[in-house]
Amino acid sequence: MNRPSTDELINLIEQEIPKERVLRNLADRYSYSYDASFGEYLPDLVVQALTKEEVSFIIKLANEHRIPVYPRGSATSLSGGSLAVNGGIMLDMSQFEKKLMIDQENLLAIASASVITSEIHEAAENVGLFYPPDPSSSHVSTIGGNILENSSGPKGLKYGTTKEYVIGLEVVTPTGEIIRTGGKTVKNVTGYDLTRLIVGSEGTLGVVTEAIIRLIPKPEDRKTLLASFDSLINSGKAITNILASGILPSAMELMDNACIVAVENYIPSGLPIEAEAIIIIEVDGHKSAIQEEIDKCAEVCERFNATSVKVAKNELEREQIWKSRRMVSPAITQIGPTKISEDATVPRSKIPEMMEKLSEIREKYKLNLVVFGHAGDGNLHPNILTDKRNIEEMKRVEEAVSEIFEAAIELGGTLSGEHGIGTLKAPYMSLELGEDGLMMMQKIKEAWDPNNILNPGKIFPQEGQTKVVLI
Amino acid sequence: MKTDDIDTKYSEKLYELSYDAANMCVQCGYCLPVCPTYLTMGNEAQSPRGRINLVKMAAEGKIDIINDLKEPMDLCLGCRACEVACPVNVPYGDIYGAALNVIAEKEKATKSPPTMSDKLLQTMLKNLFPKKNRLRTAGSFLWFYQSTGLSKITQNTKIVEMVSKPMGQFERALPKVESPTKRYKFGEHYKAVGERKMIVAFFPGCIMDAVMSKINRQSIELLQKCGIEVVIPQNITCCGALHSHQGEVDATKKLAKQNIEAFEELGVTYLINNAGGCGAMLHEYDKLLADEPEWKNRANKFVDRSRDITEVLAEIDDIPYEKEWQGVITYQDSCHLRNVQGVVDPPRKLLKSVPGATFVEMKNSHLCCASGGIYNLLNFEESMEILDEKMLHAIKTEASTIVTTNPGCLLQMRLGIERSGVKNNMQGLHLIEVIAEACGIN
Ligand SMILES: Cc1cc2nc3c(=O)[nH]c(=O)nc-3n(C[C@H](O)[C@H](O)[C@H](O)COP(=O)(O)OP(=O)(O)OC[C@H]3O[C@@H](n4cnc5c(N)ncnc54)[C@H](O)[C@@H]3O)c2cc1C
Ligand code: SF4
Ligand code: SF4
């Protein structure tokens, strides 16, 4: 079948959707050609849908004419999630009509896809409830994007990822039908669990228009400590031993020496620049329980030769500790303008081994490679700082990235702990899943989306693709 | 547009001026929630991340500087809230300035026929703003016009509005101009009341001097009353902000140099201004003159000595208040004061210190009111959409006075009050008017 020309397509779309929301000039198309990863693909046009009916209309049209459609939230994806790799229609969901309702009685939030995640945090807290998934992009990213990437942050350790909280969805399928999955009950065992299938599917199985989200009571209080170590191995041991001692902290974050130095150069905050690693531990829950727990965490850190352990005495000190953690990302971009941020994840007992592996990779390829991350759940963020204009170095980066993934999988881990596969990790899927495992996933995709129009080029490798190509 | 249609001369210049800075952007989107034009227009091209990307695309020769880049840059308020929000310190102001500069240059060179409003603007920039006497005359004319009742007649018949809707609306929001006989004089020293704590120079600005000279006079009297001697530099001129906004780099530099010289002659502690927009421009003379080594030290020193009047007043513990203020006061930040000069607390501290007043912070007071230089004249509809949203928050505070620290913002807020129909219970004032009145200065 012949694809209609862009002009023909625009005429068809404008029968249902007002002109102002069908963007076709070059500046607009370039403005929707990127996300927070890198890679630049020009869509043929951008459509800003406001209602599920409009989404359904676009998808039906696209399916009929075999035109690729890429759903897009705030484009903070770090894995190339919404990039228009085959041209076609960028479906901007950020302007979708906003709806956010808190159902206090049932401990639920009902949110349309365009709601910004931090708005849910705020609305829940206003009534003493809590929505735990906390990606650091929460003030920018949409709940739709979070659901499709199955996002999480430091709190993932204790509270799990987005999928633990989504119990129902309204979805427009790749053939344009509007369906509901799950519902308002926490228990639901009717048939296949399509909700879970769609969460984390990176916009390849349907466009989410609304979600029913489980909330939990807000923990009463929290306590935070910062411990420094002059041996990475010891910091790793401290982490596993705290978890083995029966405490489940709400967060356990790790920064290596390069990150510490970068933060201190960026905004001096009194971090020990000679330390090989620091960890931040937070516990939350009942007031009397958390005092005991934080004491115990401190004790374990000391047992593993922490050079210093500091428990925050008040909110200000707590905020200072977290600020240094939040500064890591911006601080390290001072090392080089191009930041390749990975999120390879290993079983937590393997963290020290993974750290060693990463330091070998750094030496071998002579790259600025720094590591921080959510150590409590094994979700590390190796980051390579470079300049994409330096072609020779970028080639070394490609090799290094491949080795990082291989190392994670060898240690029994996974390609992605929270950023998704997108375009960047697609070539490595069979490494983790095996050919048959990958094929089962592909069959699901084919069943849902027989014409492969919804977010093509993501998750699954293209013909013959075996490794990431950055430039 | 194909690449070969694109004039590489200008993309190369843009590349040179802005590419490294634009390339610092990691496209994280942290700046999206603070950008007023993104929030109201909902289009990535009208967001900081989008605009930076478009500058990059234009520098790479992928899009055309006039056809594709000009509109998004024109629609930017230059409020620079994005710069403060950015975790990696992308210098948006520099990128924006570079883009405006190259756009203006290309427009001139390609002689695309200027529109009526372009022409008017150019004439004003060249012949009106840098010439303080002419501008004063215009201000006096306005006073005559208002005080003779002429304005009543035109307002009632809406003559001005028939000529230009935005002009008409602004005309009605204009504060009353003070009689020319009450004006302060250039070159004059105004002595401190009581023991002299400090001697400063005062920057009168151009718009402030012409149509809001009352606020300038009150600023001077207030400083005097706080024990500060005030000099009005003889040769001080327009700050250049409006020229810089139009990409007129050379004209801006010329004004900057004149101001630096005028200030140096005096040898005083500070150069004090009371207009966020001018203050921001003065604050960045070092950047403006960065490529002229012989001006480096002089510009640095000048910048070091520039202060917003609220910074100086907030340091004074015993402001000589004489009267109680009635009602709730709320505050709208001037973006250029907040985002460029980093002055956030002093105005709030001052307003809280006014006896009798209740200060209530309004939601999103940090977001631009969309006056943005003369943005509101050039992009009226877009600006009003942002303003109307702002007024909803202002009204929620139940304030009877909304305070700003910049003439453009002041006009804009007064227009907002008109438009939202709350004229009978709300007034828009410059911070100085509030403090001066509470100190018994009329
Ligand atoms: C500075 C920074 C920090 C980050 N920190 C974290 C972190 O701590 N934890 C974490 O997990 N991630 C993090 N991320 C990654 C990113 O923020 C998340 O993946 C986020 O969930 C993306 O949301 P979005 O709205 O921007 O979606 P987009 O980036 O626009 O899209 C993401 C994916 O979802 C699809 N999609 C979006 N909306 C819909 C919809 N309504 N229906 C169907 N498909 C849709 C897109 O096609 C794409 O595949 C970070 C990113 C940045 C830039
Ligand atoms: S300067 Fe203001 S209007 Fe312009 S991009 Fe930045 S935040 Fe938006
Ligand atoms: S916050 Fe800074 S780095 Fe992030 S998108 Fe905006 S300008 Fe770029």
Side-chain angles (χ1 to χ4, degrees):
Chain A
M1 180 187 279
N2 275 345
R3 237 156 101 165
S5 73
T6 306
D7 286 340
E8 284 162 357
L9 188 62
I10 288 171
N11 283 336
L12 291 172
I13 292 175
E14 285 183 350
Q15 288 172 9
E16 287 289 323
I17 294 176
K19 256 187 162 53
E20 318 81 83
R21 292 195 271 112
V22 184
L23 318 176
R24 85 280 316 256
N25 72 40
L26 194 61
D28 281 326
R29 287 163 58 210
Y30 266 112
S31 299
Y32 291 82
S33 71
Y34 56 81
D35 64 4
S37 70
F38 57 127
E40 176 194 300
Y41 298 90
L42 208 54
D44 295 321
L45 71 156
V46 183
V47 180
Q48 302 187 297
L50 300 193
T51 62
K52 60 183 179 215
E53 289 78 16
E54 287 182 356
V55 173
S56 161
F57 166 77
I58 294 288
I59 304 253
K60 279 194 173 139
L61 196 72
N63 190 42
E64 189 185 326
H65 298 283
R66 312 284 190 268
I67 295 155
V69 180
Y70 312 86
R72 179 187 190 271
S74 299
T76 63
S77 167
L78 292 166
S79 52
S82 66
L83 300 178
V85 292
N86 298 345
I89 303 174
M90 182 59 67
L91 179 64
D92 178 17
M93 293 293 288
S94 68
Q95 304 304 308
F96 195 85
E97 58 188 9
K98 284 209 173 152
K99 177 173 138 191
L100 174 58
M101 255 172 50
I102 303 287
D103 176 348
Q104 225 174 325
E105 231 166 84
N106 291 309
L107 298 179
L108 294 177
I110 299 176
S112 58
S114 55
V115 171
I116 303 296
T117 309
S118 64
E119 289 169 14
I120 302 181
H121 288 147
E122 220 171 278
E125 288 200 16
N126 283 344
V127 294
L129 296 175
F130 182 39
Y131 173 62
D134 59 339
S136 25
S137 56
S138 65
H139 285 273
V140 189
S141 58
T142 64
I143 187 68
N146 284 188
I147 291 171
L148 275 297
E149 294 283 1
N150 193 8
S151 301
S152 61
K155 295 205 182 86
L157 167 63
K158 178 168 176 179
Y159 295 103
T161 60
T162 302
K163 71 171 175 237
E164 254 69 66
Y165 298 88
V166 180
I167 58 172
L169 290 172
E170 181 184 78
V171 183
V172 180
T173 69
T175 43
E177 288 80 29
I178 301 172
I179 62 165
R180 283 200 163 268
T181 71
K184 288 190 176 181
T185 57
V186 174
K187 284 182 164 179
N188 180 328
V189 295
T190 312
Y192 293 148
D193 190 350
L194 295 183
T195 312
R196 284 239 172 178
L197 180 60
I198 288 167
V199 177
S201 65
E202 303 189 25
T204 59
L205 296 181
V207 179
V208 169
T209 48
E210 189 180 288
I212 303 171
I213 294 164
R214 199 161 63 88
L215 303 175
I216 59 174
K218 194 172 148 192
E220 194 181 306
D221 204 1
R222 56 195 172 192
K223 287 209 172 288
T224 309
L225 75 68
L226 177 91
S228 350
F229 294 84
D230 48 21
S231 138
L232 246 170
I233 306 276
N234 279 342
S235 70
K237 284 187 184 156
I239 290 165
T240 39
N241 276 278
I242 286 170
L243 292 163
S245 73
I247 297 172
L248 186 54
S250 55
M252 265 180 150
E253 300 285 297
L254 176 89
M255 277 157 71
D256 74 354
N257 176 269
C259 295
I260 301 170
V261 172
V263 169
E264 279 305 296
N265 284 338
Y266 188 59
I267 295 181
S269 34
L271 295 179
I273 46 171
E274 68 291 346
E276 199 171 301
I278 57 176
I279 55 179
I280 297 169
I281 303 173
E282 185 160 290
V283 293
D284 68 3
H286 194 275
K287 266 194 169 42
S288 48
I290 58 172
Q291 187 59 54
E292 211 170 287
E293 289 183 354
I294 202 81
D295 289 345
K296 206 154 169 193
C297 292
E299 208 181 284
V300 177
C301 289
E302 268 154 18
R303 184 142 44 88
F304 288 93
N305 300 326
T307 46
S308 90
V309 180
K310 201 179 114 201
V311 179
K313 284 197 273 307
N314 49 39
E315 194 49 32
L316 188 75
E317 286 187 15
R318 175 182 172 274
E319 184 43 38
Q320 269 165 355
I321 293 179
W322 278 111
K323 189 171 171 208
S324 61
R325 168 64 181 81
R326 281 198 304 269
M327 281 305 130
V328 173
S329 264
I332 58 178
T333 58
Q334 311 293 310
I335 304 173
T338 306
K339 173 169 161 242
I340 291 146
S341 172
E342 287 308 341
D343 70 331
T345 300
V346 294
R348 47 191 162 224
S349 61
K350 302 284 187 192
I351 286 179
E353 262 172 86
M354 185 65 183
M355 295 293 278
E356 231 152 275
K357 193 76 206 162
L358 289 170
S359 111
E360 280 168 34
I361 295 173
R362 170 177 27 216
E363 290 311 311
K364 180 168 167 192
Y365 294 104
K366 304 258 172 292
L367 293 169
N368 284 315
L369 190 160
V370 307
V371 191
F372 61 96
H374 318 302
D377 52 23
N379 183 188
L380 295 177
H381 290 305
N383 273 257
I384 301 174
L385 288 314
T386 169
D387 186 336
K388 63 174 175 245
R389 287 169 287 185
N390 184 342
I391 310 280
E392 182 273 324
E393 186 163 286
M394 286 301 277
K395 285 290 161 203
R396 277 185 280 137
V397 175
E398 285 176 2
E399 296 294 325
V401 167
S402 296
E403 272 197 40
I404 292 174
F405 294 140
E406 281 156 18
I409 289 173
E410 238 164 64
L411 293 170
T414 175
L415 294 171
S416 173
E418 56 181 28
H419 296 166
I421 301 301
T423 53
L424 290 179
K425 293 174 223 176
Y428 305 94
M429 284 292 270
S430 61
L431 205 63
E432 179 171 343
L433 301 170
E435 292 300 335
D436 293 339
L438 185 61
M439 189 185 68
M440 282 313 285
M441 285 197 184
Q442 255 157 338
K443 280 189 174 165
I444 294 175
K445 168 72 175 167
E446 279 160 27
W448 278 72
D449 185 5
N451 296 317
N452 193 25
I453 60 131
L454 202 57
N455 213 2
K458 315 297 158 67
I459 300 186
F460 302 109
Q462 315 279 57
E463 272 287 297
Q465 206 181 22
T466 54
K467 96 190 209 347
V468 67
V469 180
L470 297 174
I471 39 170
Chain B
M1 170 156 312
K2 293 189 303 299
T3 314
D4 38 327
D5 292 339
I6 288 172
D7 201 335
T8 51
K9 184 171 141 212
Y10 295 96
S11 31
E12 274 161 22
K13 169 135 195 217
L14 190 61
Y15 190 98
E16 199 184 294
L17 287 178
S18 69
Y19 197 76
D20 278 340
N23 204 35
M24 282 169 69
C25 172
V26 292
Q27 302 185 322
C28 65
Y30 277 26
C31 51
L32 298 185
V34 302
C35 174
T37 59
Y38 176 69
L39 294 180
T40 49
M41 299 181 206
N43 179 337
E44 187 85 27
Q46 310 308 345
S47 80
R49 178 174 68 173
R51 291 183 175 123
I52 293 168
N53 177 62
L54 288 174
V55 169
K56 217 159 77 176
M57 294 299 108
E60 287 176 10
K62 289 180 178 152
I63 61 173
D64 182 69
I65 283 170
I66 303 296
N67 296 332
D68 306 309
L69 183 63
K70 182 174 158 44
E71 186 185 89
M73 296 323 282
D74 277 351
L75 286 173
C76 171
L77 287 156
C79 71
R80 293 169 64 176
C82 46
E83 213 171 287
V84 181
C86 177
V88 300
N89 295 335
V90 174
Y92 180 80
D94 297 351
I95 299 170
Y96 176 61
L100 294 184
N101 177 359
V102 177
I103 290 169
E105 235 174 57
K106 181 162 184 191
E107 264 187 331
K108 254 189 219 152
T110 48
K111 299 205 177 62
S112 43
T115 59
M116 234 352 243
S117 60
D118 278 350
K119 265 193 215 155
L120 182 69
L121 197 64
Q122 286 306 329
T123 318
M124 293 201 317
L125 288 181
K126 235 197 235 112
N127 300 324
L128 196 55
F129 293 119
K131 310 259 155 85
K132 55 189 179 238
N133 290 333
R134 283 194 201 164
L135 206 57
R136 272 199 164 179
T137 312
S140 307
F141 177 73
L142 199 63
W143 170 79
F144 174 76
Y145 165 81
Q146 285 179 340
S147 58
T148 52
L150 216 88
S151 71
K152 279 267 150 21
I153 300 171
T154 52
Q155 273 172 22
N156 290 340
T157 55
K158 299 214 168 150
I159 282 180
V160 183
E161 208 152 325
M162 278 161 69
V163 179
S164 150
K165 189 169 167 213
M167 280 293 194
Q169 295 213 5
F170 279 105
E171 198 262 353
R172 275 188 284 162
L174 218 58
K176 250 189 97 50
V177 175
E178 201 165 56
S179 152
T181 54
K182 287 189 147 182
R183 281 185 194 277
Y184 47 85
K185 290 190 183 63
F186 283 82
E188 188 80 67
H189 279 245
Y190 292 89
K191 296 264 178 275
V193 174
E195 192 193 334
R196 187 175 90 182
K197 292 181 187 147
M198 200 191 306
I199 168 163
V200 302
F202 181 76
F203 182 83
C206 48
I207 308 269
M208 287 298 278
D209 180 56
V211 295
M212 298 189 191
S213 67
K214 178 177 164 212
I215 299 173
N216 276 355
R217 177 181 56 76
Q218 285 178 322
S219 298
I220 296 165
E221 288 176 26
L222 184 59
L223 288 168
Q224 286 178 283
K225 205 162 175 173
C226 291
I228 299 172
E229 178 172 330
V230 185
V231 195
I232 317 288
Q234 181 66 47
N235 292 319
I236 207 100
T237 181
C238 170
C239 67
L242 292 172
H243 304 74
S244 152
H245 268 253
Q246 299 309 315
E248 302 277 341
V249 180
D250 293 338
T252 317
K253 283 185 172 174
K254 208 171 138 214
L255 296 170
K257 289 174 188 168
Q258 186 178 334
N259 282 330
I260 293 175
E261 272 165 0
F263 175 69
E264 280 171 347
E265 283 163 10
L266 298 170
V268 299
T269 319
Y270 295 135
L271 176 65
I272 293 186
N273 75 85
N274 60 7
C278 306
M281 188 70 231
L282 304 177
H283 196 77
E284 296 200 315
Y285 277 0
D286 52 350
K287 278 191 177 177
L288 177 73
L289 298 171
D291 56 353
E292 300 195 28
E294 66 283 12
W295 280 88
K296 187 168 183 263
N297 277 338
R298 298 171 75 177
N300 283 346
K301 201 162 157 201
F302 182 87
V303 168
D304 267 0
R305 297 282 170 92
S306 283
R307 290 285 184 286
D308 184 74
I309 189 164
T310 61
E311 291 178 273
V312 177
L313 290 176
E315 294 286 307
I316 295 172
D317 294 326
D318 46 350
I319 292 185
Y321 288 119
E322 288 179 6
K323 279 204 270 187
E324 295 257 314
W325 189 270
Q326 298 284 324
V328 174
I329 298 180
T330 193
Y331 175 66
Q332 163 63 36
D333 281 284
S334 142
C335 298
H336 287 112
L337 187 59
R338 183 186 179 104
N339 300 328
V340 184
Q341 301 174 74
V343 178
V344 178
D345 293 332
R348 291 178 166 78
K349 185 179 161 198
L350 281 169
L351 290 172
K352 284 178 192 159
S353 76
V354 176
T358 318
F359 178 79
V360 179
E361 185 80 44
M362 77 165 141
K363 190 175 167 205
N364 288 350
S365 54
H366 65 289
L367 283 189
C368 182
C369 65
S371 111
I374 44 174
Y375 182 92
N376 45 15
L377 285 176
L378 301 177
N379 305 292
F380 186 68
E381 300 295 334
E382 288 83 358
S383 167
M384 291 306 112
E385 211 178 302
I386 296 171
L387 175 62
D388 292 346
E389 168 97 20
K390 167 125 302 205
M391 286 313 294
L392 298 179
H393 297 309
I395 291 168
K396 260 209 193 110
T397 62
E398 301 187 352
S400 50
T401 308
I402 174 159
V403 169
T404 73
T405 48
N406 183 52
C409 311
L410 178 57
L411 266 182
Q412 178 87 338
M413 294 321 300
R414 292 174 65 112
L415 181 59
I417 293 170
E418 280 254 351
R419 284 171 67 88
S420 51
V422 290
K423 214 166 85 179
N424 295 333
N425 357 355
M426 200 189 266
Q427 58 178 346
L429 293 178
H430 190 287
L431 184 135
I432 290 304
E433 294 180 278
V434 173
I435 309 289
E437 193 176 322
C439 291
I441 300 167
N442 285 320

